[in-house]
């Protein structure tokens, strides 16, 4: 389904079922029969029956009116069935269009969920409502006009002008209604996208302490959607004004014009019949049109605009960045956990070239994990900029970097599924090679092989870390950050893992748990709160007393300082 005008799409949907349209027309005549009969039946029941002391004649006319309602009930049922034969194929076509576009994009589109669920169903229901109310309105107006002409042509002079004025006011308000409805649906899509992103990154958000920032962003989306809903409610108030003008003002006009009508030959029965036409047929028909087009019609137009709009083309940065190393650059970065809190990081300038191996050391709570959150884009700096791969860290494709926090995540499923989570195309040979490189053979054997179902609660913290490390090693990411990701391993296993990642290639940043990680790194970043120092292990030993103290106090493997 290409991008086409709404009118063309709806016309094609109607034209596909000519038999259904014919049935809708035939049964609509029967359904709106009371709209024509009610005024005539009441007028004749009064004028030819009760007013001239012929009660049986009056009762016969009322019986005719009652019979028309029975016929209308049968017609209404058949109309609903005929409308369904038009609407359901329309829904199927829309759903096929949404799914096709969602699957044809190179990267997932979270808004497709809102389109497939909310908007397709909304368009289907709105299309059915529009067909029903427009059909009912047209047949009812024709019936009322014919009835008024039959009773007294002068009635049209009093009824038609205010009715047309109310209808015109309502039709003029539709563009504003459409804009507000579209704003509401766009806000809904953004809320869905924000919540989906939040759900995907819960583990990383928690690991980097970004809960408040993410909660604020998601809350802002919810607030925007609530504001769009309130704006829509304000605009829809015009429906009440148009209904009062077109539906109830004609009644006042007929009452006020009664003397003139009677001077022109209209009897009491004709006047009461005209009031019945207006109050029981014309006003409900206008109310149905206002409700149907003012809500369902506008929703249909806006939903179709969103459904038929081409999905946004998003550059695939993963193709550009994942293939090689990813450099990191921090320029004047300052970050604090709150507007009145002391900065955890203040004015930091740092360059981590592509392919570098950097260890970050410092006392506990000094901001090392905060630095990891900034580099991965999970935290936004209060001042300065963080660039990864030459672009802002928050805009980097998640596949281009891998962060392993201290508490590693393992999900229920097979060991193979856990290892291939970030690299679904990894071959059995590649997986076996990584298991050997990281020294995981005994663990795999104990768990029962790659097909073994894992129970995360039954694994030790060190075993979970080994599985997460293997998963990250298999991932095609150009930047790997180990945020104390080996703290539950013994020193030998930790050394093996860090050396494996260093040989693997790409940029490696290790938030050090033991000072031995700094000895293995190409460069070391020392964070001591007042300032940062960058250099090799040997340089910092001679120029940074704090670093020398940390090294001097380290006694493997029982003491851990950093």
């Amino acid at each position: 389904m290409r991008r086409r005008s709404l009118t063309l799409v709806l016309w094609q949907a109607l034209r596909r079922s000519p038999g259904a349209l014919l049935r809708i027309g035939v049964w609509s005549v029967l359904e709106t029969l009371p709209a024509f009969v009610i005024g005539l039946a009441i007028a004749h029941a009064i004028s030819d029956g009760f007013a001239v002391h012929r009660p049986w004649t009056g009762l016969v006319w009322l019986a005719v009116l009652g019979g028309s309602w029975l016929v209308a009930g049968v017609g209404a049922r058949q109309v609903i069935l005929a409308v369904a034969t038009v609407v359901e194929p329309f829904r199927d076509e829309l759903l096929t269009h949404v799914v096709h576009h969602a699957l044809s994009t190179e990267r997932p589109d979270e808004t497709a969920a809102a389109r497939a669920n909310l908007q397709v169903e909304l368009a289907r229901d709105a299309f059915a409502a529009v067909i029903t109310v427009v059909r009912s309105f047209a047949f009812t107006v024709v019936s009322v006009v014919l009835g008024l002409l039959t009773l007294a042509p002068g009635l049209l002079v009093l009824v038609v002008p205010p009715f047309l004025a109310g209808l015109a006011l309502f039709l003029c308000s539709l563009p504003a209604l459409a804009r507000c409805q579209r704003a509401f649906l766009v806000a809904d899509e953004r809320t869905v996208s924000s919540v989906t992103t939040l759900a995907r990154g819960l583990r990383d958000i928690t690991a980097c302490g970004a809960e408040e920032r993410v909660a604020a962003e998601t809350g802002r989306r919810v607030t925007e959607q609530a504001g769009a809903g309130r704006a829509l409610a304000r605009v829809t108030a015009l429906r009440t004004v148009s209904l009062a003008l077109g539906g109830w003002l004609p009644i006042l006009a007929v009452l006020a014009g009664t003397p003139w009508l009677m001077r022109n030959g209209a009897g009491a029965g004709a006047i009461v019949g005209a009031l019945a036409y207006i109050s029981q047929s014309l006003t409900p028909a206008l109310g149905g049109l206002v409700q149907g087009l003012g809500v369902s019609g506008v929703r249909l137009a806006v939903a179709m605009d969103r459904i038929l709009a081409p999905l946004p083309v998003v550059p695939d940065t993963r193709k550009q960045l994942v293939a090689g190393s990813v450099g990191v650059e921090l320029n004047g970065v300052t970050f604090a956990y709150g507007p009145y809190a002391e900065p955890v990081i203040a004015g930091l300038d740092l360059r981590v070239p592509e392919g570098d191996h950097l260890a970050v050391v410092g006392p506990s709570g000094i901001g090392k994990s905060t630095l990891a959150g900034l580099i991965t884009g999970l935290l936004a700096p209060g001042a300065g900029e963080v660039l990864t791969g030459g672009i802002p860290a928050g805009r980097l494709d998640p596949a281009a970097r891998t962060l392993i926090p201290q508490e590693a995540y393992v999900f229920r499923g097979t060991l193979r599924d856990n290892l291939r989570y970030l690299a679904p195309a990894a071959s059995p040979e590649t997986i076996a090679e990584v298991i050997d490189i990281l020294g995981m053979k005994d663990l795999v054997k104990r768990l029962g092989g790659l097909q073994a179902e894992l129970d995360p609660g039954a694994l030790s913290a060190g075993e979970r870390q080994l599985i997460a490390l293997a998963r990250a090693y298999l991932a095609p990411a150009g930047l790997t950050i180990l945020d104390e990701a080996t703290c539950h391993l013994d020193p030998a296993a930790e050394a093996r893992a860090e050396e494996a990642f260093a040989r693997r290639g790409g940029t490696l940043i290790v938030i050090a748990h033991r000072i031995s990680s700094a000895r293995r790194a190409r460069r070391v970043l020392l964070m001591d709160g007042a300032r940062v120092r960058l250099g090799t292990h040997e340089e910092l030993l001679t120029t940074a007393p704090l670093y020398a103290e940390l090294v001097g106090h380290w006694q493997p493997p029982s003491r851990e300082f950093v």
Side-chain angles (χ1 to χ4, degrees), residues 3 70 195 249 258 286 379 399 419 442 450 479 555:
R3 181 69 185 271
L70 295 177
V195 172
L249 187 56
T258 296
L286 180 60
L379 297 176
L419 297 179
D442 291 342
L450 294 176
L479 170 63
Q555 297 292 331

Side-chain angles (χ1 to χ4, degrees), residues 42 44-59 62:
I42 291 177
H44 285 291
I46 293 174
S47 299
D48 301 335
F50 301 116
V52 293
H53 306 290
R54 295 177 182 174
W56 288 108
T57 301
L59 292 174
L62 295 181

